[in-house]
């Protein structure tokens, strides 16, 4: 049944009048549309209650590196006026670079190992524990007016995007075609934005993905991108035309779910398929910023932040607001990263590694073997764009919870060039003050792949004394946060931690986001 207070409406098209049906969780209205419908009467929303408002526009399969070549003045203007963060996705076995996992990641703000969607079947989804941001908003702030419009039906069928919306438009682009339905969604959304009072809207446009599948990312793709850019421009103009615009604070976010091969297609582990972006403008969002630590999970967190909602830790979000920068010490190295030396599969223009640690840190490599691939001789500080290009489909793509620059010890890649001895290297933190404290907790994110013959140990040294073992990794630990607590010995005033890795053409160990807390 319709949401209380919203009358049952008739949705008119050029050829038919169709009854409006009930919406997703929390009630709502869904517009049913026949094939090739030219127009849909906008479903009626409850009046909004917030001066802070958010529009999220999802453009399926949009390669961000093709924007410059396209006639896309609105996307380009948003880049100039806002923050534009590019990043790379996971790959199998975590999830395919396809729409089901991609839009689930955008909507829920968590990675596929949490939300459970690994392909377009949506089998394993856990939207009960990790709902989309509209569903979450309906739970925590039910007075908000929430709208969704999609023409890839699974986003509604499986509750990924539309759940929680007070009103929704759901079309079937696979059956009827995306050109017409994207236009219908745009026209309906323009009406909602201009003439009603939504607080949060999630709008999906799918034709860029369809064109890339059929024709690759050449001129026809650029033409489709230009059409979607114009559709975005009409939505932006509708916001500006609102009679209450001067009293409102609007955030606009544009994002995609995955990239495409040049020839078209996705689902695999190549860089073009894994390419994503988050583009945002709005209050507190810096103009012209190009952060290197943004991830796709940040969309939902940005929506919450712009509405003044602090996520509960129990939500388990992996994302954070797009304007929040990392305080990780490794990210201070970003401006000093170098290009390839011995690696041949990394383009020369990709700058992404250094052996120089941040201030106060050190790398001890007295037992390190000689030779090997120069980039990976001992602990290295690298980016996902650089490191994951070294060899595909060995789980480097699964390092999703690292951001920006991270530390990696990779005996597998080091051994790809003639060497002698073993890989043995120790990453040492600065000394932290623990005077008068009872416990110290080391927090970090790790991505570790186990194989017989290698070791990975975390050790603690108090007052410069003999390091003691805190944790030894003996099994795969894929992109997981860690919290290791150690009792502070009586009289200790300082502690440093060591990440000691040994291997012989084995796998790797990634460490990122190191923090120290005392109690």
């Amino acid at each position: 049944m319709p949401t209380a207070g919203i009358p049952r409406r008739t949705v008119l098209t050029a050829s038919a009048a169709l009854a409006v049906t009930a919406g997703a969780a929390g009630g709502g209205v869904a517009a049913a549309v026949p094939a090739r419908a030219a127009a849909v009467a906008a479903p009626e929303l409850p009046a909004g209650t917030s001066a802070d408002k958010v529009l999220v526009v999802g453009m399926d399969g949009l390669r961000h590196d093709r924007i410059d070549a396209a006639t896309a003045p609105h996307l380009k203007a948003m880049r100039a006026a806002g923050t534009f963060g590019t990043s790379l996705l996971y790959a199998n076995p975590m999830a395919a670079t396809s729409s089901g996992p991609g839009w689930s990641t955008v909507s829920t703000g968590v990675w596929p190992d949490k939300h459970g969607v690994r392909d377009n079947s949506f089998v394993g989804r856990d939207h009960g524990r990790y709902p989309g941001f509209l569903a979450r908003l309906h739970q925590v702030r039910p007075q908000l007016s929430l709208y969704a419009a999609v023409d890839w039906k699974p986003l509604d069928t499986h509750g990924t995007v539309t759940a929680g919306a007070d009103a929704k438009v759901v079309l079937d682009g696979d059956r009827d075609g995306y050109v017409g339905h994207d236009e219908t969604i745009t026209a309906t959304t323009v009406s909602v934005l201009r003439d009603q009072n939504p607080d949060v809207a999630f709008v999906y446009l799918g034709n860029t993905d369809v064109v890339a599948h059929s024709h690759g990312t050449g001129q026809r793709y650029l033409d489709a991108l230009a059409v979607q850019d114009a559709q975005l421009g009409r939505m932006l103009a509708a916001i500006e035309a609102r009679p209450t615009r001067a009293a409102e604070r609007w955030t606009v976010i544009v994002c995609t779910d995955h990239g495409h091969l040049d020839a078209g297609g996705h689902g695999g582990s190549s860089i073009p398929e894994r390419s994503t972006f988050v583009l945002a403008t709005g209050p507190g969002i810096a103009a012209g910023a190009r952060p290197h630590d943004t991830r796709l999970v940040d969309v939902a967190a940005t929506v919450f932040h712009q509405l003044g909602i602090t996520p509960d830790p129990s939500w388990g979000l992996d994302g954070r607001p797009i304007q929040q920068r990392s305080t990780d010490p490794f990210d201070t190295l970003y401006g000093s990263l170098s290009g390839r030396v011995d690696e041949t599969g990394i383009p020369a223009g990709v700058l992404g590694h250094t052996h120089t640690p941040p201030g106060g840190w050190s790398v001890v490599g007295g037992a390190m073997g000689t030779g090997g691939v120069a980039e990976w001789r001992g602990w290295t500080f690298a980016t996902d764009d650089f490191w994951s290009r070294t060899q595909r489909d060995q789980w480097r793509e699964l390092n999703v919870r690292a951001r920006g620059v991270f530390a990696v010890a990779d005996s597998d890649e080091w051994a790809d060039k003639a060497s002698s001895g073993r890989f043995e290297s120790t990453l040492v933190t600065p000394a932290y003050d623990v005077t008068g404290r009872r416990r110290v907790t080391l927090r970090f994110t790790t991505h570790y792949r186990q194989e017989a013959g290698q070791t990975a140990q975390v050790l603690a040294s108090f007052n410069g004394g003999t390091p003691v073992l805190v944790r030894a990794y003996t099994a795969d630990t894929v992109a997981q946060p860690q919290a290791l607590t150690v009792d502070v010995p009586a009289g200790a005033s300082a502690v440093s931690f060591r990440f000691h890795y040994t291997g012989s053409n084995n796998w790797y160990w990634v460490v990122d986001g190191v923090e120290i807390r005392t109690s």
Side-chain angles (χ1 to χ4, degrees):
M1 61 184 294
T3 302
I6 302 179
R8 185 177 297 275
R9 290 177 54 85
T10 299
V11 179
L12 301 177
T13 70
S15 59
L18 300 172
V20 173
T21 59
V29 213
V33 183
R36 293 183 293 278
V40 172
E44 188 172 340
L45 282 157
T49 60
S50 177
D52 295 302
K53 298 180 183 293
V54 183
L55 168 65
V56 178
V57 179
M59 297 186 175
D60 203 303
L62 183 59
R63 280 261 301 267
H64 62 77
D65 62 336
R66 300 297 285 149
I67 293 174
D68 282 337
T71 302
H74 301 100
L75 285 168
K76 293 172 184 177
M78 280 189 65
R79 285 191 315 191
T83 294
F84 180 58
T86 64
S87 63
L88 297 174
L89 287 176
Y90 39 75
N92 281 318
M94 180 173 286
T97 50
S98 55
S99 291
W103 292 119
S104 296
T105 299
V106 168
S107 186
T108 64
V110 301
W111 294 110
D113 58 355
K114 287 184 179 178
H115 64 61
V117 179
R118 290 174 167 78
D119 54 37
N120 285 353
S121 73
F122 289 82
V123 171
R125 67 187 181 278
D126 190 1
H127 294 328
R129 185 175 180 184
Y130 301 106
F133 63 76
L134 291 181
R136 185 75 77 182
L137 290 172
H138 178 77
Q139 294 170 359
V140 302
R141 197 173 284 182
Q143 68 270 28
L144 292 176
S145 179
L146 309 176
Y147 167 79
V150 302
D151 54 3
W152 188 46
K153 283 193 71 176
L155 296 180
D156 175 66
T157 303
H158 301 294
T160 301
V161 165
T162 60
D166 295 299
K168 62 181 182 176
V169 176
V170 180
L171 311 180
D172 192 342
D174 287 340
R175 183 192 66 195
D176 306 327
Y178 283 89
V179 173
H181 280 340
D182 279 4
E183 175 57 29
T184 298
I185 280 178
T186 300
T188 307
T189 299
V190 164
S191 175
V192 167
L193 291 172
R194 183 190 60 223
D195 301 329
Q196 299 192 50
N197 190 23
D199 293 316
V200 182
F202 193 155
V203 179
Y204 168 92
L205 301 173
N207 195 51
T208 39
D209 182 62
V210 174
V211 172
H213 277 292
S214 298
H215 305 289
T217 59
Q219 188 57 51
R220 291 194 184 187
Y221 181 77
L222 297 179
D223 293 342
L225 198 164
V227 170
Q228 284 187 186
D229 181 84
Q231 290 167 338
L232 169 66
R234 288 158 57 195
M235 296 182 216
L236 298 176
I239 291 173
E240 295 305 314
R242 292 174 54 77
T244 53
R245 176 67 179 92
E248 297 169 346
R249 297 175 292 273
W250 276 89
T251 296
V252 179
I253 302 170
V254 182
C255 60
T256 194
D257 55 335
H258 56 72
H260 263 280
L261 296 169
D262 290 346
H266 57 86
S269 60
S270 71
I271 295 296
E273 293 167 280
R274 295 174 58 212
S275 294
T276 60
F277 70 92
V278 180
L279 170 60
T281 60
I285 298 175
R290 300 291 182 268
H292 63 274
D293 56 348
T294 297
R295 304 303 298 255
L296 195 61
V297 289
D298 294 343
V299 174
T302 303
V303 172
F304 297 135
H305 181 81
Q306 296 302 96
L307 294 170
I309 295 171
T310 301
D312 191 297
S314 67
W315 298 359
L317 292 187
D318 290 319
R320 67 187 189 196
I322 192 171
Q323 59 265 62
Q324 182 179 322
R325 297 280 65 80
S326 172
T327 58
D328 179 86
F330 304 146
D331 286 308
T332 63
L333 303 174
Y334 187 77
S336 60
L337 300 178
S338 301
R340 71 186 189 196
V341 179
D342 291 332
E343 288 284 0
T344 58
I346 302 174
V350 176
L351 307 180
H353 90 286
T354 181
H355 287 294
T356 303
W361 291 69
S362 61
V363 175
V364 179
M368 182 73 195
T370 60
V373 175
E375 288 90 331
W376 315 113
R377 191 174 297 136
W379 279 97
T380 303
F381 306 93
T383 64
D384 186 30
D385 192 30
F386 191 88
W387 182 58
S388 67
R389 291 176 186 263
T390 60
Q391 182 65 51
R392 287 167 55 181
D393 302 318
Q394 292 184 339
W395 295 17
R396 290 176 180 83
E397 302 92 350
L398 277 54
N399 184 34
V400 293
R401 290 186 176 86
R403 289 177 179 264
V405 182
F406 49 82
V408 56
D410 191 335
S411 70
D412 176 65
E413 279 301 304
W414 174 70
D416 282 355
K417 185 178 179 181
S419 62
S420 63
R422 285 172 56 81
F423 187 110
E424 183 168 357
S425 186
T426 305
L427 176 63
V428 184
T429 73
Y432 300 98
D433 184 15
V434 293
T435 304
R437 300 296 183 171
R438 294 178 301 165
R439 287 179 294 273
V440 58
T441 298
L442 171 68
R443 294 180 178 269
F444 59 99
T445 297
T446 198
H447 180 54
Y448 176 71
R449 192 164 187 192
Q450 171 66 20
E451 188 176 51
Q454 71 181 19
T455 65
Q457 298 177 329
V458 181
L459 305 103
S461 173
F462 290 94
N463 291 356
T466 302
V468 296
L469 181 65
V470 176
R471 169 75 186 269
Y473 289 90
T474 58
D476 292 338
T477 307
V478 178
Q480 292 299 312
Q482 306 289 286
L484 309 180
T485 300
V486 183
D487 290 334
V488 176
S493 59
V495 64
S496 63
F497 290 93
R498 295 173 175 242
F499 300 89
H500 180 67
Y501 175 84
T502 70
S504 181
N505 195 18
N506 297 117
W507 286 119
Y508 45 76
W509 189 14
V510 172
V511 171
D512 194 32
V514 177
E515 296 180 1
I516 302 294
R517 300 182 185 179
T518 58
S519 60

